[in-house]
Amino acid sequence: GAGVSQSPSNKVTEKGKDVELRCDPISGHTALYWYRQSLGQGLEFLIYFQGNSAPDKSGLPSDRFSAERTGGSVSTLTIQRTQQEDSAVYLCASSLYGGGQLSTDTQYFGPGTRLTVL
Amino acid sequence: GNSVTQMEGPVTLSEEAFLTINCTYTATGYPSLFWYVQYPGEGLQLLLKATKADDKGSNKGFEATYRKETTSFHLEKGSVQVSDSAVYFCALKGTSGSRLTFGEGTQLTVNP
């Protein structure tokens, strides 16, 4: 079946502009994650959605970052007033169950969106 | 908090050489452990996983054993191929949380 898809694959923007990144998880997966991969910081967790529960936003680096998940499926990560340090590859992942007792749950990653802030 | 430490790279080997990439972790309880691989120009793919102590994960000739006593999950392959050239990430998922905590990644280059 289809994997996790993300769009756009590449995004170049000017400092100060807002950007929106989209993620389509695997159908039927209840959990959705956003991570960031950058040269200086490696792979960092950003935010996690599980069903209808309040999202875990503890990894968001600043209040310029926000995310939503509509209808328990598609998610959008929004970065307002982008800065050059926001340049990174933004990865989305989904899993069948999420966290808690089902900690063996495997996360499947999308191809990522490469964001470049000029 | 949870953390993962991988051996520093890059690692360069000749084809058919033996590969070990070290990974150690810090976590409370019994986390699940994973190796992900990122081939050039591609996204992260799960390579193998182990969910409890002494479990061995294996895939595509790669193996890793969950060692609770040494808090390690070293990746091994007996004979690497050029097509194994990629970045390898060790990761853990804690028992109470949902996020993956990744190591720094190890770049492997295999020369013919």
Side-chain angles (χ1 to χ4, degrees), chain B residues 21-92:
Chain B
I21 301 177
N22 289 338
C23 172
T24 57
Y25 68 89
T26 301
T28 55
Y30 293 86
S32 294
L33 301 173
F34 305 81
W35 277 100
Y36 280 84
V37 59
Q38 189 171 34
Y39 297 103
E42 298 185 16
L44 276 172
Q45 301 175 24
L46 178 67
L47 181 59
L48 54 84
K49 71 177 185 180
T51 59
K52 59 183 187 294
D54 300 324
D55 266 3
K56 178 185 283 188
S58 60
N59 186 26
K60 299 182 180 180
F62 290 89
E63 294 183 340
T65 301
Y66 187 160
R67 301 289 189 197
K68 181 69 174 174
E69 64 276 14
T70 54
T71 61
S72 65
F73 193 55
H74 305 322
L75 183 68
E76 297 182 337
K77 186 174 185 181
S79 177
V80 293
Q81 305 301 309
V82 173
S83 57
D84 294 327
S85 297
V87 181
Y88 292 82
F89 292 91
C90 185
L92 74 80

Side-chain angles (χ1 to χ4, degrees), chain A residues 45-66:
Chain A
F45 166 80
L46 296 177
I47 188 169
Y48 158 62
F49 295 90
Q50 172 58 60
N52 296 320
S53 302
D56 175 0
K57 303 179 182 180
S58 59
L60 294 178
S62 78
D63 58 8
R64 295 185 297 104
F65 287 72
S66 63

Side-chain angles (χ1 to χ4, degrees), chain A residues 33 35 37 42-43 45 48 56 58-59 91 95 98-111, chain B residues 30-32 34 36 38 42-46 49 51 89 93-104:
Chain A
Y33 313 77
Y35 294 86
Q37 186 175 20
L43 269 158
F45 166 80
Y48 158 62
D56 175 0
S58 59
L91 297 171
S95 68
Q101 293 181 341
L102 295 164
S103 62
T104 63
D105 197 30
T106 297
Q107 296 181 24
Y108 297 90
F109 284 80
Chain B
Y30 293 86
S32 294
F34 305 81
Y36 280 84
Q38 189 171 34
E42 298 185 16
L44 276 172
Q45 301 175 24
L46 178 67
K49 71 177 185 180
T51 59
F89 292 91
K93 187 176 183 184
T95 51
S96 60
S98 55
R99 68 184 69 182
L100 286 170
T101 300
F102 287 89
E104 305 87 350

Side-chain angles (χ1 to χ4, degrees), chain A residues 78-109:
Chain A
T78 301
I79 308 173
Q80 296 178 311
R81 305 181 303 281
T82 52
Q83 304 295 313
Q84 288 183 332
E85 61 263 29
D86 300 334
S87 296
V89 177
Y90 289 82
L91 297 171
C92 177
S94 71
S95 68
L96 195 55
Y97 300 115
Q101 293 181 341
L102 295 164
S103 62
T104 63
D105 197 30
T106 297
Q107 296 181 24
Y108 297 90
F109 284 80

